[in-house]
Structures are given as structure tokens and as C-alpha cells.
Amino acid sequence: MVQKKKRNVIVGQSGGPTAAINSSLAGVYRTAIDRGYQKVYGMIHGVQGLMEGRYVDLSDHIQSGLDIELLKRTPSAYLGSCRYKLPEIFESKEIYEKIFEILVKLEIDCFIYIGGNDSMDTIKKLSDYAIITGSDIRFVGCPKTIDNDLALTDHTPGYGSAAKYIGTSVKEIIRDSWSLETTSGQVIIVEVMGRNAGWLTGATALAKGEDCDGPDAIYLPELPFDMDAFIKKIKSLLKNKASVVVAVSEGIRTKDGKYVSELGNSIEYVDAFGHKQLTGTARYLCEVVSQECGCKTRAIELSTLQRAASHCASRVDILEAYEVGGAAMKAADEGDSGKMVVIERLSDDPYQAGTEVKDVHKIANDERTVPRDWINKDGTYVTNEFITYVRPLIQGDVGPIMVDGIPRHLYRPGFQDLL
Ligand code: F6P
């Protein structure tokens, strides 16, 4: 049989960025070139930019092995990201026709999308449209999200590095809190990302070790937040400790489903997926604690720092992100479509994992939360099972390439103007 000549690949990044998302981009790029594809295009700002005809030829920007290494160590989405929801196919065929017209013009064989559950919705819809129209372009998803909430995969690239940064930062916050004595005590509340899933907030427990007691309490979004019980807990902790450090998820909600962050601010921003912007949970709780307990308080919102901290990236995470990018490219090259690469854990100690591909229809729009039995009975801490799960994912370092004392990232003059 005559083998069809391999043509081009297009890759995009979508959803919230991470410290490892560009390592996956590097893995896709390297594997596409190694497998004989002519060009690897990068969508600028994901499928949203693609529809506006914005893309680059990645080989103009990744020109050496050193560039690949820099890309692996560059946080945020190198290509720019988007939060764009494709309409259902029957609602707006024109949008699909437009996207496929561009893909045909660019002679695309494989379309790889690096993203979370909302982004897998894009892979699902585009691969369905390809089936309906008889297109042989293959669509494969490459998992990514600091939230670690994708279904069917043991974990998602990006989570390990965010967890490592969060554990490290909380440990440093606790250390700092020991320095100055306050007569009435102080309460520090650290707000961590993860709208509906507490994987990131639970990672604050990684601060605990021989040299640190870890946070005093951890509140995950999986359980309803009870303000009275919270204040009672803080008061009882303050009886024995001068400094109390508590971690809360940005997504904690009261029994009636209202975000705690909404109790204290009037930010109304809602993204294309209908997600409300969450911010101010720690600030609001500090106000309540200050009124109820009369002590000094400090709110620390880790915000985007936790997903951009490539100086504290996990080696396991960066390497897995690269492998998963390569596995997505390999799957598309070998004929898979409508699939996402998943990570399967073989053992915790020694940590071993491999990749597989699974049907994206079973993954898109779903959310995997922390199991109830990995949270303690009164809902104020994670269990040892949680720690056993996350610990292997934060191991090892990928040292930044330092230039003039600051980590160097992959940058191309002119390219940023496209973003
Ligand atoms: O998608 C991951 C994430 O980092 C969430 O944890 C967080 O709620 C959200 O993105 C924040 O999104 P944005 O930066 O668009 O406000």
C-alpha cells in the first residue's frame, strides 16, 4: 500500500494556562517533526484566533534544541489561550465550515488541542463534525489544567507544578507567621484556585513535614462551607496558637450554593462558559474573622502566581507534560480522532505511570472532584490518601535557565504582537 504523504499539523492551547502547558506544546512539536510532518502551525489564542485567521508556523519560532528546552520552562500559554465555547453543530454550521475551510487551506492532517474539560468539548465537537462531513482530519486532546479535574485521567499536567508551588508557598507563609508576636493573635487566610475541585487547596497540606505543622485547617469546595463552624474553629485554634494559617478554595460555597467570594464583593464578570470570576474569598473571610475574633488578619490570594511559577516546577510534571504532548501527536498520527490522552498510574512508590487514549465524549464537560473519603470527617483537612496521591507528582526540579539573575523564557520579537 502506498503511504499517504504526511502534510501539516496544527496545535492550540486553551483554557487557564499552567507552568507545564508549553512543555506539552514542545512535545507535540518535536513528535510532529520526528514523525515526518512538514509544518506545525500554532493557533494564536486557540480556536478563537484560528477562526480569525491567526496562526503561526512554529518552526519560525522554535529554531533549536535550546528553544525546545526554553519552551518547556516557559510558563503561561506561549501561543495565547482562549475561553471560547463552540456552539452545537446544529446551531451554527457556518462556524464549523469556516474552521474546516481554514484547516483544508493549511493542509492539516492532525489537530491537537491542549486544554481542560471545556477545551475537550472543542475536540469532541470538531471530531463529530469531521465524521458528519467525511473529513479525515484527526482531532486529539492533550490534557492540561492546574485544577486536576479532568475525568478518566489519574491527574493532569500542570497540577503537579501548581501543587508544588502551593505547598512551598504555604510553608513559607507559615514560617513568616512565626516571626512577629501579636498579643491578640493573627489569622492568615490563603485563597487557592480550583472552582469546584479541591485538588489545589488540598495540596497546601504538602507544607506539613518534620519542620512545619502545615496549615491549621483546609476548606475544599467539595463540601458546603459553614460560617459558624468556621469561626468556632478559628476561635478554638487561637486559644492555643499565636498564628493560625488556614487555606480556602476560591470556590467554597455556603449551604444554599452561594460562593463565599460573592458575599464580599460585587465583581460580576462571567466568562464564555458561564463561569463567574472568583476572587476575594480570603479577603471576605478575614473581615468576618477580624470582627468576630478581634485579631490581626491577612488575606493572601495566590491567584495567577500558582499557575505561572515555572521557577518552582515539578520535574515529574514537566516531563509528563512533554510526553503527553508527544502521545497526543502520536495518537493522531496513527489515526485516532475524538480522543484525549490520559495518564494511568501504575504505582505510587516508586512512582510509575504511562499514557493511553480515551474517548473524549466521556471526558468533555465532566469534572472530577476530590473523593469524600480523602477529606476528613469534619471537612477541615485532607487525609493521608490525598497526600500519597499528590506527593509523587511534585518530585524533582527543572531548573530555570537564568539570565541576569532572572529565569529566561522563550520569546520572539514580533510574535507577541500577534497575541
Ligand atoms: O482553568 C483553571 C483556572 O486557573 C481555575 O482554577 C480558575 O478558577 C480559573 O482558571 C481562573 O480563570 P481566569 O484566569 O480566566 O480568571
Side-chain angles (χ1 to χ4, degrees), residues 180-392:
L180 294 167
E181 277 187 336
T182 42
T183 42
S184 55
Q186 65 168 336
V187 174
I188 296 164
I189 303 183
V190 186
E191 177 177 332
V192 186
M193 278 185 169
R195 178 174 298 273
N196 297 320
W199 298 105
L200 291 167
T201 311
T204 57
L206 289 165
K208 193 170 176 172
E210 283 169 10
D211 52 348
C212 178
D213 291 341
D216 296 295
I218 303 176
Y219 293 89
L220 274 56
E222 279 79 357
L223 301 178
F225 182 77
D226 179 339
M227 191 66 83
D228 294 337
F230 170 73
I231 293 297
K232 212 166 138 201
K233 174 99 185 165
I234 298 286
K235 283 185 176 163
S236 109
L237 284 163
L238 279 171
K239 279 192 194 139
N240 303 311
K241 297 191 79 177
S243 246
V244 170
V245 177
V246 175
V248 297
S249 162
E250 62 175 5
I252 50 170
R253 270 170 286 188
T254 54
K255 227 176 31 240
D256 54 8
K258 202 162 174 64
Y259 284 113
V260 171
S261 68
E262 288 180 297
L263 302 175
N265 72 47
S266 51
I267 292 177
E268 294 286 338
Y269 180 77
V270 176
D271 72 16
F273 285 85
H275 303 145
K276 282 187 186 159
Q277 186 188 351
L278 301 177
T279 178
T281 306
R283 164 91 0 249
Y284 176 70
L285 290 176
C286 278
E287 277 168 29
V288 179
V289 169
S290 168
Q291 278 161 17
E292 295 286 333
C293 309
C295 61
K296 181 179 177 187
T297 59
R298 194 183 288 281
I300 301 177
E301 197 171 325
L302 294 182
S303 188
T304 58
L305 296 172
Q306 65 205 290
R307 65 185 188 198
S310 59
H311 66 282
C312 187
S314 142
R315 185 175 177 76
V316 166
D317 188 34
I318 297 296
L319 294 186
E320 280 188 342
Y322 186 77
E323 279 165 24
V324 161
M329 188 56 240
K330 176 174 179 281
D333 181 40
E334 292 177 357
D336 277 316
S337 189
K339 301 278 170 64
M340 186 191 89
V341 174
V342 299
I343 301 175
E344 292 207 327
R345 187 184 300 225
L346 305 172
S347 72
D348 290 325
D349 186 13
Y351 173 68
Q352 288 179 309
T355 60
E356 257 215 59
V357 287
K358 295 254 165 94
D359 185 351
V360 80
H361 294 77
K362 297 189 176 141
I363 298 165
N365 304 314
D366 198 3
E367 271 179 324
R368 190 177 62 104
T369 52
V370 177
R372 178 62 187 92
D373 56 355
W374 285 13
I375 308 171
N376 72 0
K377 212 160 146 232
D378 67 355
T380 58
Y381 223 86
V382 288
T383 63
N384 287 338
E385 284 92 334
F386 183 100
I387 299 297
T388 305
Y389 164 82
V390 66
R391 180 94 62 202

Side-chain angles (χ1 to χ4, degrees), residues 82-135:
C82 68
R83 290 200 192 277
Y84 176 75
K85 191 171 175 67
L86 277 175
E88 296 300 331
I89 298 172
F90 67 86
E91 282 172 353
S92 182
K93 255 181 82 190
E94 315 78 68
I95 288 194
Y96 291 85
E97 283 164 1
K98 191 168 173 189
I99 294 173
F100 275 70
E101 201 180 291
I102 297 170
L103 299 181
V104 169
K105 185 184 92 188
L106 294 177
E107 304 192 316
I108 299 299
D109 288 338
C110 307
F111 179 114
I112 312 290
Y113 215 37
I114 309 168
N117 26 34
D118 294 334
S119 316
M120 292 310 134
D121 180 65
T122 300
I123 286 292
K124 174 175 83 96
K125 288 172 174 158
L126 291 175
S127 59
D128 285 352
Y129 186 79
I131 293 173
I132 295 168
T133 56
S135 162

